[in-house]
Amino acid sequence: MTDGYGRKIDYLRLSITDRCNLRCRYCMPESLPFIPHQQILRYEEILRVCAAAASLGVIRLKVTGGEPLVRKGCAGLIRELKLLPGIGQVTLTTNGVLLARQLPDLLEAGLDAVNVSLDTLDREQYAALTGRDELPQVLAGLRAALDAGLPLRLNAVPLASAGLEGLLALAELAERFPVDVRFIELMPVGHGTELAPFGQDRLMAALSARWPGLAPAPGRRGGGPARYWTAPGLRGCIGFISAVSHGFCETCNRVRLTSEGFLKLCLCSGDGVDLRAPLRDGASQEELAGLIQTAVLRKPAHHTFSRAPAQDPRNMSQIGG
Ligand code: SAM
Ligand code: SF4
């Protein structure tokens, strides 16, 4: 399907829960009230939305949260999503805490790739940033995914508190292992306005000094907005996703479904359409598809982060990143 600006929308991100086993300071306060269970889409409802989206041309799904692996049966959902006609790829974004434990089920379900979010390799900093001392579990998850040969990407939000050495240590994972390490600019969504980011230009300069010859990676990697860099000696790439400073809205290909069934058209805007009420009021697949298509035509041309924080009271944990 195309939106009102002629952009092809073929990617849907699914937040399957607002709950999480971490409390990353830029994402989720310690005491956020959770959405009551009955207001969260059931798996069969998520599958109906995805089938409708697939009938309109969505081919890629990303399962996210909150933390998707805290919701019981996540692997089972992925297995069902993989069976939907038209869906070519189902991937997962996780904090990695439960990854090692659930990896066999995820592999068996046919998961195509996993993104693990990790902002520091320092155990104390990790505990201070996430509110939980879970770094060893995350590293075990990374190791298990690598050993299993599951395509793996690491996503890091570069924060001033991590320090240059800490960020370089993360980037070095792309030297030690065949993983892409992507630096995702802190966005002014929810609590993202409360922390200091590490400057992108300074980070890029340090990466270039660490790997002389760092150059744009040839070809296109992934279907998303990351810009990738490579250098002799790197087994994976180093990526930058800079939504705020280097907007890529003109090639945006995605919409998002919150765990309550709200189809959100842009990270920055509160506009979208509630699909839970029609789902529960007996809407047909054609009617669901019609609602999605009509909403997508209203997708904003671009975000307005440079002028103001997101015009949506939801936290990133409720949106899914
Ligand atoms: N819990 C899973 C995880 O952490 O990967 C999935 C959900 S989380 C909301 C998805 C991604 O959003 C994470 O990589 C996280 O770092 C990122 N994120 C959360 N708040 C953010 C913000 N304000 N700016 C940029 N990225 C943010
Ligand atoms: Fe949880 Fe992910 Fe948000 Fe961290 S970024 S609090 S892991 S949802």
Side-chain angles (χ1 to χ4, degrees), residues 13 15 17 19-22 24-28 63-69 92-96 115-119 154-159 184-194 241 244 267 315-321:
R13 294 178 65 96
S15 173
T17 177
R19 294 168 196 239
C20 188
N21 44 2
L22 299 183
C24 301
R25 286 180 51 210
Y26 50 72
C27 180
M28 198 172 176
V63 178
T64 174
E67 170 50 39
L69 297 183
L92 175 77
T93 292
T94 171
N95 60 31
N115 290 355
V116 176
S117 305
L118 180 60
D119 302 334
L154 207 125
N155 289 337
V157 176
L159 296 169
I184 302 188
E185 197 173 19
L186 183 66
M187 285 180 270
V189 176
H191 298 269
T193 50
E194 294 162 20
I241 301 183
V244 185
L267 252 189
N315 282 314
M316 209 59 131
S317 60
Q318 295 164 318
I319 300 170

Side-chain angles (χ1 to χ4, degrees), residues 3-5 7 9 249 252-256 265-266 271 295-302:
D3 71 4
Y5 297 92
R7 291 171 297 194
I9 307 300
C249 302
C252 186
N253 61 351
R254 63 200 58 196
V255 286
R256 297 169 164 84
L265 304 173
C266 171
D271 191 17
V296 161
L297 287 172
R298 295 199 311 274
K299 186 172 158 66
H302 48 74

